[in-house]
Amino acid sequence: MRHTNDQDELDAMRQLPPQAVAHVLGLRASAEAARRHGGAGYSYWSLPNGALITVRQGRAGWVWALTKRSGEAAGGDWLALAQHINPSANLGKARRILRPALGASHTTPPVASQHLLAPQAEVTTMEPPQALQLCEPPTWALDYLQRDRGVPAETIEYALALRAIAGHRPGYRPDQDAVHLSFPHTLPCGLQAHAELRGPAETDGLRSKKASRGTKGLWMLPPAAESHVLAVTEGALKGLAVHARLAQAGKPAWIVSTGGSPGQAQLDQLRWLVFELEIKTLALAHDHDAAGDQQAARCAGVAPAIKAVRMAPPAGCKGWDDWAMTLRKPAP
């Protein structure tokens, strides 16, 4: 029985998602490496010594390898990574290092002299986020964004080139094969596991506003030139409008969307992003209403040490997407 318990723990450790392992091993997600190397299903992490590793999900759990090998062949499961970071650690010590990541329900297996009061409950392992299966945007996307929503063509082309706009088949009825316009969110590990969606035209001619299943992160649109300004919006369409406005003014900035009221995990990611990108100004481009003011205040709180400015839309516009509508050219 002891052998079975040991094997169960080893298997659970190999299935730990990168975010759970990062804290106990001192890993730091690298957004810059994700942008440079890319690759669906891959994420990039810096070790305490500064070395970069590539992480992906293998057949028996998560596996890692040095991104720049430089003649050193290193890789394997999380246990191997614990030993790589701590060269003197044997397998037993590697397990002790990783055990806190399993949570309180995974404790050291009891020795024979210990009195068992009751059977242990079955352990539930958290499933890691699953990557979205993205595709090309639907054929109507360009016309919808430009004519119906007022987004300038150059902004649309820029977002398409950076894959901030895509297509997704969420499987919603009545047409489960319909491709939705997708604005994918990215997690700190580089995984895209959620998206803001606009659906095909419905009977009233409007396009439904939906969200995909999965773990929310941040929709991100990088600047065209180096910038230490980060603009936060409530939605990707509003973010496209903010990008267009800043482009008009010649002020490049990082644009992110929380896709509605931000959760704590999104605020944590925003805080990490501010640090990772060396942001000096946080532009709070939320709607000009009570809810927008409340969200702006929450986002400003993630980095109280840096400058925060309220980038409210012009008078007469509730949100920046309303401002973009004023740019629409009349249909011929």
Side-chain angles (χ1 to χ4, degrees), residues 250-303:
K251 297 179 179 179
W254 290 84
I255 313 292
V256 303
S257 161
T258 58
S261 182
Q264 187 57 51
Q266 290 177 291
L267 293 173
D268 292 342
Q269 182 178 352
L270 186 61
R271 180 183 298 107
W272 167 80
L273 201 61
V274 166
F275 172 80
E276 181 76 11
L277 300 175
E278 299 181 352
I279 296 301
K280 294 181 172 58
T281 301
L282 199 60
L284 307 167
H286 298 79
D287 286 356
H288 189 44
D289 58 12
D293 291 341
Q294 184 179 32
Q295 291 183 42
R298 292 187 67 200
C299 291
V302 305

Side-chain angles (χ1 to χ4, degrees), residues 21-110:
V21 174
H23 177 68
V24 296
L25 294 185
L27 309 183
R28 188 165 62 89
S30 175
E32 191 272 335
R35 291 191 296 271
R36 186 170 66 251
H37 298 288
Y42 292 87
S43 62
Y44 300 87
W45 302 77
S46 294
L47 303 183
N49 66 1
L52 191 68
I53 62 171
T54 302
V55 174
R56 64 178 176 82
Q57 191 163 27
R59 296 177 63 183
W62 292 85
V63 294
W64 65 278
L66 289 174
T67 305
K68 297 181 179 179
R69 296 179 184 271
S70 302
E72 180 184 1
D77 59 12
W78 296 134
L79 293 154
L81 183 57
Q83 291 178 293
H84 179 77
I85 295 172
N86 303 273
S88 63
N90 58 21
L91 181 60
K93 184 174 180 180
R95 291 173 64 173
R96 288 194 293 275
I97 292 171
L98 287 171
R99 200 164 280 144
L102 290 171
S105 58
H106 289 270
T107 56
T108 304

Side-chain angles (χ1 to χ4, degrees), residues 64-308:
W64 65 278
L66 289 174
T67 305
K68 297 181 179 179
R69 296 179 184 271
S70 302
E72 180 184 1
D77 59 12
W78 296 134
L79 293 154
L81 183 57
Q83 291 178 293
H84 179 77
I85 295 172
N86 303 273
S88 63
N90 58 21
L91 181 60
K93 184 174 180 180
R95 291 173 64 173
R96 288 194 293 275
I97 292 171
L98 287 171
R99 200 164 280 144
L102 290 171
S105 58
H106 289 270
T107 56
T108 304
V111 297
S113 60
Q114 289 180 310
H115 179 60
L116 299 181
L117 298 178
Q120 295 294 315
E122 183 179 352
V123 173
T124 301
T125 303
M126 287 286 288
E127 291 293 329
Q130 298 297 311
L132 287 182
Q133 298 300 313
L134 299 174
C135 59
E136 290 298 312
T139 56
W140 47 264
L142 182 63
D143 187 57
Y144 166 71
L145 290 172
Q146 189 171 1
R147 188 191 66 184
D148 295 350
R149 303 308 302 254
V151 181
E154 53 270 26
T155 294
I156 299 172
E157 293 170 3
Y158 179 73
L160 284 169
L162 293 178
R163 299 182 181 178
I165 297 175
H168 178 55
R169 293 183 177 88
Y172 293 129
R173 294 180 178 178
D175 187 355
Q176 297 188 194
D177 293 325
V179 178
H180 287 52
L181 176 59
S182 168
F183 304 97
H185 282 212
T186 303
L187 295 171
C189 63
L191 189 71
Q192 292 182 318
H194 176 86
E196 300 170 42
L197 303 176
R198 290 296 184 277
E202 299 186 348
T203 54
D204 56 4
L206 301 177
R207 299 191 182 277
S208 59
K209 178 181 178 181
K210 299 179 182 293
S212 75
R213 300 178 180 89
T215 304
K216 289 179 73 173
L218 297 175
W219 176 79
M220 290 188 283
L221 186 60
E226 183 178 359
S227 175
H228 296 286
V229 177
L230 175 66
V232 187
T233 69
E234 301 174 37
L237 282 170
K238 300 173 190 289
L240 290 173
V242 169
H243 179 275
R245 178 65 188 94
L246 293 175
Q248 281 186 351
K251 297 179 179 179
W254 290 84
I255 313 292
V256 303
S257 161
T258 58
S261 182
Q264 187 57 51
Q266 290 177 291
L267 293 173
D268 292 342
Q269 182 178 352
L270 186 61
R271 180 183 298 107
W272 167 80
L273 201 61
V274 166
F275 172 80
E276 181 76 11
L277 300 175
E278 299 181 352
I279 296 301
K280 294 181 172 58
T281 301
L282 199 60
L284 307 167
H286 298 79
D287 286 356
H288 189 44
D289 58 12
D293 291 341
Q294 184 179 32
Q295 291 183 42
R298 292 187 67 200
C299 291
V302 305
I306 71 169
K307 179 181 178 181

